Amino acid sequence: YPSEVSYKLALADFYLQEGRLFEAIAEYSSVLQLDAENHEARISLSECYLRIGNYDKAIETLAIICT
């Protein structure tokens, strides 16, 4: 069986592909609560924030990788 993180990441990716951005944000955030070092989830979460026009949150989300 897939791990909870991999399941949530796959679900979030599906939501992002379908344009269900707020649901994707919720799932990516959930992944990061379980695995704060998951760069794939963090980058995709930032993309969601960009697509909804929340540029500050997108930058904040990505900045964590750089520190």
Side-chain angles (χ1 to χ4, degrees), residues 47-63:
E47 179 184 344
C48 290
Y49 285 132
L50 284 173
R51 289 175 60 178
I52 65 170
N54 192 337
Y55 305 115
D56 290 338
K57 193 70 172 169
I59 292 167
E60 176 187 320
T61 301
L62 281 181

Side-chain angles (χ1 to χ4, degrees), residues 10-65:
L11 183 59
D13 289 342
F14 170 76
Y15 287 148
L16 178 57
Q17 287 180 328
E18 294 295 308
R20 296 164 63 177
L21 299 176
F22 292 100
E23 291 162 293
I25 288 169
E27 291 300 328
Y28 287 127
S29 296
S30 179
V31 168
L32 291 171
Q33 287 179 344
L34 296 169
D35 179 9
E37 300 299 316
N38 190 310
H39 295 319
E40 180 181 348
R42 192 165 299 283
I43 291 166
S44 295
L45 177 58
S46 181
E47 179 184 344
C48 290
Y49 285 132
L50 284 173
R51 289 175 60 178
I52 65 170
N54 192 337
Y55 305 115
D56 290 338
K57 193 70 172 169
I59 292 167
E60 176 187 320
T61 301
L62 281 181
I64 293 170
I65 293 174

